[in-house]
Amino acid sequence: MVARPKSNRLHEHARSDARRKTGHNGATTVCAPQPTADGFLNHCFAPVYPLTEELFDQQGVETDFFKSVSYLSDLYNLGLDVHQLEWGHNYPFNIQHSYQLVVEKLKAIREDVDVLILSNETTKGTLATVQQYDTDYYSYFVPVKPLWQLQKSGNNKPLTHLLESIYAYLMHISGLPFISDQSSYVFYQCDMMLESRAEWTGREERKEYTAFEKIVKQSRRGSRIIRNRINQTTHLKNFHRRFSGFQPESEAEAELKAVASTFLNLYTRFPNRSIWDSYHIGLMTPDEEYRIHPDQFISFIWDFDDGIYDDLVQSLDADFNGGGYVELPQTVQMFDQPQPVQTLNLEFEETFFTTVGNLISVQHKLSLDAKYN
């Protein structure tokens, strides 16, 4: 059972009022007084809902649901009379009306919190509060070529080692996929790009296809090299030592150390926290058919300036503009038992995405500076 707020992408259609029209001269037609059959419009009726399978167990649903109403009301001081709510309407309308009341009261004090009714193996229906972090219409593509260039040149070992520790954290702990991972969305997209270009028949188009195929092969090969190098656990073990010993010699290096400091703090406080732990796909919109999954815009890529990056960004823009529902990171608190404190907290998500954005900005500066290449 899932109850959820209406999608903010739905719009009310304009409609004409068929019961009241103007005459030919623009004046409203006035009818003589007469008995009307429209008296029922003065009354409010509850909608008719079919009893689906998940609602058959009335006792179980009511018991679990109204317990959770009590727990949530106590935590947020909503002052709800649970007994009155349970017996104020027949089942299942008592559930519906109580849920709507909880949503209204909670929104009045916490506008950023949504309320759902969830069911699982242990509960027939319990309230849960949900808070989402808005990643907006951004991509979080972290390039690995700047690290590859540093490793290849050998010009700045301390910078290289610190960057390796950052990337090891993003790969081992945060779970960012590589462009060379065959199970990743970016790998799949590259195959689709190649497949579409393979159908080109013109001479110049065939040259472009050959060049693009070369880029894909190089990016996958280079990404595998970086992935294998940072796969060693020593990069995480030495993260703190490398950070402490790193002395920035430029503005870009100072920015990178600030990024490293934040990631190191996240790793210390949340040593096993993957970014995917923040996603509960379909929780807010279980019936949504067209959704944009997080792995479509969170990933390691090879470079900023190749055709792969350009195509990925264009494809993502098309998905965003096409009205797809963007899955957002979330924090959830269940009320299947008494809750002593409010646990909704988006500090990890906000810090992580902000810092990834800062890392991408720093990497762009490093990629443009000849001394790092």
Side-chain angles (χ1 to χ4, degrees), residues 337-356:
Q337 56 186 339
Q339 299 294 305
V341 295
Q342 299 176 27
T343 62
L344 296 184
N345 190 324
L346 289 169
E347 180 186 3
F348 173 85
E349 290 77 9
E350 181 176 0
T351 302
F352 178 85
F353 282 101
T354 300
T355 310
V356 169

Side-chain angles (χ1 to χ4, degrees), residues 314-354:
Q314 290 178 12
S315 175
L316 191 58
D317 284 344
D319 286 336
F320 284 148
N321 294 329
Y325 177 83
V326 182
E327 290 289 349
L328 299 177
Q330 303 155 339
T331 176
V332 181
Q333 183 171 16
M334 296 281 290
F335 288 85
D336 53 345
Q337 56 186 339
Q339 299 294 305
V341 295
Q342 299 176 27
T343 62
L344 296 184
N345 190 324
L346 289 169
E347 180 186 3
F348 173 85
E349 290 77 9
E350 181 176 0
T351 302
F352 178 85
F353 282 101
T354 300

Side-chain angles (χ1 to χ4, degrees), residues 194 197 208-218:
L194 287 171
R197 286 169 169 80
E208 184 176 339
Y209 167 75
T210 301
F212 186 79
E213 184 182 33
K214 184 178 180 180
I215 291 174
V216 171
K217 289 181 178 179
Q218 289 177 339

Side-chain angles (χ1 to χ4, degrees), residues 247-265:
Q247 300 299 322
E249 297 180 355
S250 68
E251 180 181 345
E253 291 184 10
E255 292 178 11
L256 182 66
K257 185 163 186 177
V259 166
S261 175
T262 306
F263 279 137
L264 181 59
N265 184 47

